Amino acid sequence: MARQYALLALWVGVEAADKGQPHYHQGVLPKFKPGPPAGIGFRLSGAQQSALAKGENVLATIANRGGDGSCVAVLDIPVPKHIIWERITDYKRYPQMVSGVVRCDTYRTANYPNKKKNWSFYAVSAMGVRKEYFVEHTYEPYKSCMTFQLDYSRQSDFDDSVGYWYVCDHPTIKGTSRVFYSCRLKLRGWVPGPVKNYLMKTAVKQATLWVAKESKAQHARESSRRQTPFALRR
């Protein structure tokens, strides 16, 4: 662990981007396709399904074009999927919900017949180092999926980042949802493989965990409210 943190210093020393300029490129990482996990090359094995049944957070790797691997986290959460989507799309509360996010400001939105787009500025802090970047989210309710990528019209501290959320009903347990999350990240400059793997696996696993925590809390609040007599509600 000490060696990983020492190597991490190579990354945090990279200069910050000029936020007033467009990004260096229009994307170098392969984008995620909206839809079920099979579309991104991921299927649950028997062992992984057994782990999910035990309440475990499953973490797996899938191959991408170019030979790089993407981490995928899967977790069963005992709440309806609409509550999970409310938490995922509540960008303004990310600083309160997501560890390391110190700021998240939406600067543009757009609604289309089958999808909703949101552009947000993020500031994250790790080990006292702040990184800032701009993200374009595309939420497609009918596909129960969100994909995201950098907003390439603005310059971010990360070289590139793309990601994917997918939420479906549990195949057998009513009222439980299965959540899939994956993210690909390209840092500016050279980063040792162990550091990159450590960062990605940690970030991907934590994403499903914060969503589970916040979704369960929201579900409990809503359940309590339904059980409280109307006359006693404030």
Side-chain angles (χ1 to χ4, degrees):
M1 184 67 71
R3 178 174 179 273
Q4 288 176 324
Y5 280 120
L7 292 173
L8 182 58
L10 297 175
W11 165 61
V12 299
V14 175
E15 292 184 10
D18 181 354
K19 306 303 184 299
Q21 299 295 322
H23 202 56
Y24 310 101
H25 50 69
Q26 293 300 299
V28 295
L29 292 173
K31 307 296 190 295
F32 285 94
K33 295 180 179 179
I40 65 170
F42 179 73
R43 294 181 184 276
L44 286 168
S45 67
Q48 290 167 338
Q49 294 186 48
S50 296
L52 287 171
K54 298 175 183 177
E56 297 177 11
N57 191 0
V58 169
L59 190 64
T61 301
I62 57 174
N64 306 325
R65 294 197 310 267
D68 293 332
S70 290
C71 290
V72 180
V74 191
L75 183 63
D76 289 341
I77 305 176
V79 301
K81 62 183 181 182
H82 77 271
I83 292 179
I84 294 173
W85 279 120
E86 288 173 3
R87 298 301 90 217
I88 294 173
T89 58
D90 192 2
Y91 309 106
K92 66 181 180 182
R93 291 199 64 247
Y94 270 40
Q96 289 75 49
M97 296 190 297
V98 188
S99 177
V101 176
V102 296
R103 182 176 170 186
C104 185
D105 300 328
T106 293
Y107 55 90
R108 182 184 172 192
T109 59
N111 292 326
Y112 302 93
N114 295 316
K115 61 185 176 182
K116 301 177 180 180
K117 296 180 75 71
N118 171 286
W119 289 260
S120 292
F121 163 80
Y122 287 80
V124 297
S125 179
M127 300 177 64
V129 177
R130 181 182 173 108
K131 295 293 180 183
E132 300 179 349
Y133 55 105
F134 301 86
V135 178
E136 174 185 331
H137 314 83
T138 302
Y139 172 42
E140 301 183 57
Y142 292 103
K143 295 181 179 180
S144 200
C145 184
M146 177 196 285
T147 55
F148 57 88
Q149 63 189 49
L150 291 186
D151 176 0
Y152 302 109
S153 70
R154 305 185 180 211
Q155 198 173 107
S156 294
D157 289 340
F158 296 132
D159 187 45
D160 203 5
S161 179
V162 298
Y164 168 92
W165 285 100
Y166 181 79
V167 184
C168 62
D169 294 324
H170 190 280
T172 59
I173 305 175
K174 186 177 180 180
T176 292
S177 303
R178 179 161 289 174
V179 180
F180 297 79
Y181 175 78
S182 186
C183 182
R184 299 167 185 157
L185 177 66
K186 189 173 187 296
L187 304 171
R188 295 178 62 195
W190 178 79
V191 180
V195 174
K196 182 177 179 180
N197 292 337
Y198 173 77
L199 290 170
M200 290 309 303
K201 288 181 178 180
T202 300
V204 170
K205 187 174 182 179
Q206 288 300 318
T208 49
L209 293 178
W210 78 254
V211 166
K213 176 184 176 181
E214 295 296 331
S215 297
K216 290 176 183 177
Q218 180 64 27
H219 186 47
R221 288 191 293 268
E222 292 186 8
S223 297
S224 176
R225 182 174 177 80
R226 286 194 298 269
Q227 295 170 8
T228 302
F230 183 79
L232 300 179
R233 297 179 188 174
R234 295 183 178 180

